[in-house]
Amino acid sequence: KAQELIQAIKVNQKLSKDEIITRYLNTIYLGDGAYGVQAAAHAYFGPDKDVKDLTVSQSAFLAGIINAPSLSDPRNSKEQKARAMRRWNVVLDAMVTEKWLDPATRAKQVWPKFAPKSDSITVTSTSQNGYLQDMVVKEAAEKYKISEEDLRTGGYKITTTFNKAMVKAGAQAVKAMLPKVKDRPKGLRIGMASIDPATGAVKAIYGGSKYVGAQNNNATIDRAQAGSTFKAFGLIAALEDGASLRTKYKSDSPVVIDGQTIGNASDGESSGYQDLIDSTAHSLNTVYVQLNKDVGISKMRDAALAAGIPESAKIKNNLTNVLGSADPHAIDMAAAYATFAAEGIRREPYTIEHITYLGTGEDAVSEKDVNDATKGKRVFRKETVADLTYALEQVVNRGTGVYARRLGFPVAGKTGTSQESTSAWFAGYTPQLSTSVMMYQPGTIKVKGKKVPSNLPMKGFGIHPSGIFGGGYPTEIWTKYMETVMQGKKVEDFPPPVFGGKSINQAPATIAPTQPADPTQKPNPDPTTAPTPDPDPTPTQSPDPIVTEPVPTRSRFPGVTVAPTAGQ
């Protein structure tokens, strides 16, 4: 109070009483998400009602609810209406006492009519609305330089990209596919994001089961290692560099590559030479690390960044970066896979469709600014993305993501499970929608005697007691959600593969004679539970290995012309 007294004295020295009360009334909270009397006029009496046009009765209502606006919205309940009416009468009587209103006029006042509650976001702890609102506020500040304070007091109407039914479907899918909260590991979290590849519009997110504030959002703030979902970037890098899907590598496990021991889900297995289609379908780490070495580790990193994974995901420039040690957000992975769904055109994800001034309907942000974001930039060739998509379709048709076949639409995607199951993913797309789901369990670990934040190894539970993998709960949640949001949509096919590039059958990596107790790189365990495989269009014989060729100056796959990626 002492501090407020000093502030009041200072303000009184600089501003008149009229200016003080004007600023006060233009900034205070008046309920229904409205800050200031102008916003309140819109909220309670309609978007076309300007504060200067309020009647005596309407003005008395607003004056009456100042001391407790959240308890005085007559549209919420009978109790709140009764309180608002009592306060309305107090204000009108006081106006008569102060001779601002004559008794005859006072007697004629009738309770005002109210506009229906708007579709503006109401934040509750159990809904997704808080997460959605935080995303919009952040985008308005960063992209359009409209601060949170401006949003509260400026009388803006914001139309977002979010689809209410899709947001609801995401929350329902998580609830339906997981056991009850009491039967889940403590602290288990799910993040999900869904993006329209044709525009970059964020259609839905799942930020968590309970909104606790802007500091947490499982889809946009929390991170988890991407695991084998990153193999898609290794594959597109190879295809862009001139490789063919028919390129084969020896898939024995474990193997030693540049001194590092690499294993598949089942060490000791020997499936001979495998092409990049089967290696993708069954998530063979040993093949992908060999491929990454031949193409160049920086090219995988560059491909991930080009697709939409941000620098903040910390993609390492090492041999095993293709196995997904980077830690993106769920929305990053949805955006990157949306680039594949859009046949190689990258579009930045966005949440604000339009911003206008309430009452006038005038644009607060140029519509051109919003529309420009949807044009996108070509970052991969159509032909290489068609081949990539075909390989990712096999993950669903007969590989680690076979559960997603239940959707009944063409689906391309990739499962991912990090070392020791500290995270599990499924990122997938139809031609119309890209969605990613990640599961993780944050906690703390001890490092040099100090506790530091870290995602913890997830143990099996519910219908997956043996372990948590990307092909389990994440794929099941993804499928349940997509079954709802794709209802009624036309079935669209992906462009057919072209099987471009040159097939290079590489000499096998050194096979580890014995499995070490602590391999340098543990496998991403994406077990396959596929039905009988579909006919494989690729050759089945294993050719003789060839001698490794010297490194060419431009491409590791000579004889293949690669078109520039710039421009659409």
Side-chain angles (χ1 to χ4, degrees):
K1 291 300 180 182
Q3 187 179 38
E4 290 176 357
L5 176 61
I6 294 171
Q7 290 173 343
I9 293 171
K10 287 183 176 180
V11 169
N12 192 50
Q13 290 171 342
K14 294 180 180 180
L15 302 173
S16 69
K17 293 294 193 293
D18 282 349
E19 288 175 311
I20 292 171
I21 193 65
T22 297
R23 293 192 180 190
Y24 174 75
L25 292 175
N26 281 337
T27 57
I28 58 171
Y29 183 63
L30 286 162
D32 199 22
Y35 286 81
V37 288
Q38 175 76 320
H42 300 316
Y44 290 104
F45 305 115
D48 297 327
K49 177 64 73 172
D50 200 68
V51 67
K52 63 181 175 57
D53 299 322
L54 292 178
T55 65
V56 169
S57 178
Q58 291 168 334
S59 300
F61 164 77
L62 292 181
I65 67 172
I66 284 176
N67 65 345
S70 298
L71 301 176
S72 309
D73 190 334
R75 300 164 298 182
N76 286 344
S77 66
K78 291 181 179 179
E79 293 76 15
Q80 291 202 22
K81 181 179 179 180
R83 188 185 194 286
M85 290 187 75
R86 179 174 60 81
R87 293 289 304 165
W88 174 75
N89 280 304
V90 166
V91 171
L92 291 173
D93 291 342
M95 292 176 71
V96 173
T97 301
E98 296 296 325
K99 296 185 171 46
W100 295 335
L101 191 65
D102 64 82
T105 303
R106 162 66 178 94
K108 295 178 182 178
Q109 298 304 309
V110 295
W111 182 242
K113 292 183 179 180
F114 295 89
K117 287 182 75 71
S118 68
D119 291 330
S120 60
I121 290 174
T122 300
V123 177
T124 66
S125 64
T126 57
S127 74
Q128 297 301 301
N129 292 340
Y131 302 113
L132 306 181
Q133 181 173 275
D134 289 342
M135 291 173 68
V136 171
V137 169
K138 186 172 185 285
E139 185 171 312
E142 293 180 353
K143 191 172 182 180
Y144 301 114
K145 310 305 177 187
I146 302 175
S147 69
E148 184 173 355
E149 183 178 352
D150 290 338
L151 289 177
R152 288 175 173 173
T153 61
Y156 294 103
K157 177 182 179 181
I158 301 179
T159 304
T160 74
T161 60
F162 300 124
N163 182 295
K164 190 174 182 180
M166 293 173 71
V167 173
K168 184 178 180 181
Q172 289 177 334
V174 172
K175 184 177 180 181
M177 303 312 289
L178 289 178
K180 294 180 180 179
V181 174
K182 66 182 180 64
D183 297 324
R184 304 175 196 172
K186 185 178 180 181
L188 185 78
R189 293 184 184 176
I190 304 292
M192 188 189 77
S194 215
I195 291 176
D196 181 353
T199 62
V202 181
K203 306 306 292 184
I205 62 109
Y206 179 79
S209 60
K210 186 176 182 180
Y211 177 73
V212 294
Q215 71 274 16
N216 176 254
N217 184 323
N218 297 353
T220 65
I221 296 178
D222 285 14
R223 300 174 178 274
Q225 285 191 336
S228 290
T229 57
F230 250 53
K231 286 174 181 165
F233 307 125
L235 182 56
I236 193 66
L239 296 173
E240 285 279 306
D241 199 48
S244 165
L245 287 176
R246 302 184 191 279
T247 294
K248 292 191 174 187
Y249 287 90
K250 200 71 174 288
S251 65
D252 290 341
S253 172
V255 296
V256 177
I257 304 174
D258 284 358
Q260 296 189 61
T261 302
I262 311 297
N264 294 325
S266 300
D267 278 342
E269 69 180 359
S270 178
S271 53
Y273 279 88
Q274 294 289 337
D275 64 24
L276 297 182
I277 300 171
D278 283 338
S279 298
T280 304
H282 303 302
S283 203
L284 299 179
N285 294 339
T286 57
V287 168
Y288 263 91
V289 174
Q290 292 175 75
L291 177 69
N292 200 33
K293 178 184 177 182
D294 286 345
V295 175
I297 56 178
S298 63
K299 290 183 180 179
M300 192 292 302
R301 183 178 185 277
D302 291 344
L305 295 174
I309 300 298
E311 292 272 5
S312 59
K314 299 178 183 178
I315 307 171
K316 295 179 180 178
N317 217 27
N318 60 22
L319 187 63
T320 56
N321 61 7
V322 73
L323 302 183
S325 59
D327 57 348
H329 309 106
I331 197 171
D332 299 333
M333 196 60 70
Y337 273 54
T339 300
F340 302 147
E343 300 180 40
I345 297 176
R346 173 182 171 177
R347 295 179 173 91
E348 296 297 329
Y350 70 99
T351 65
I352 295 176
E353 201 76 67
H354 207 190
I355 305 179
T356 58
Y357 291 109
L358 280 167
T360 66
E362 296 177 0
D363 288 339
V365 171
S366 169
E367 197 166 347
K368 179 178 179 298
D369 291 341
V370 177
N371 290 338
D372 281 350
T374 68
K375 293 179 180 178
K377 175 185 177 183
R378 178 163 293 284
V379 293
F380 304 121
R381 291 175 291 144
K382 273 188 176 183
E383 296 82 2
T384 56
V385 176
D387 282 355
L388 168 85
T389 294
Y390 176 77
L392 294 179
E393 281 186 277
Q394 307 319 306
V395 174
V396 175
N397 290 341
R398 54 190 173 87
T400 58
V402 70
Y403 187 93
R405 285 178 60 174
R406 302 183 183 204
L407 180 60
F409 283 77
V411 174
K414 187 69 189 75
T415 56
T417 310
S418 64
Q419 186 173 322
E420 297 183 341
S421 293
T422 56
S423 62
W425 290 76
F426 184 73
Y429 55 93
T430 66
Q432 302 102 315
L433 194 65
S434 172
T435 300
S436 73
V437 177
M438 74 175 186
M439 175 182 283
Y440 58 107
Q441 187 177 350
T444 59
I445 60 173
K446 280 192 176 181
V447 178
K448 296 181 179 180
K450 294 184 178 179
K451 289 184 178 182
V452 295
S454 175
N455 287 343
L456 305 176
M458 293 181 290
K459 297 180 180 180
F461 66 96
I463 62 172
H464 297 291
S466 60
I468 301 302
F469 308 107
Y473 286 124
T475 304
E476 291 160 7
I477 292 169
W478 185 96
T479 305
K480 182 68 173 177
Y481 163 76
M482 293 289 281
E483 282 176 342
T484 301
V485 302
M486 294 296 292
Q487 280 184 8
K489 293 188 182 297
K490 181 182 177 182
V491 176
E492 295 182 14
D493 292 321
F494 291 115
V498 299
F499 295 103
K502 185 175 182 180
S503 178
I504 304 294
N505 300 306
Q506 298 289 358
T510 303
I511 300 175
T514 58
Q515 184 177 346
D518 294 302
T520 303
Q521 177 65 41
K522 293 184 179 180
N524 294 327
D526 288 339
T528 302
T529 55
T532 303
D534 297 332
D536 189 344
T538 60
T540 56
Q541 69 273 19
S542 298
D544 295 330
I546 62 172
V547 178
T548 303
E549 297 179 1
V551 179
T553 56
R554 184 173 186 277
S555 173
R556 299 304 293 258
F557 299 92
V560 179
T561 302
V562 180
T565 58
Q568 184 170 338

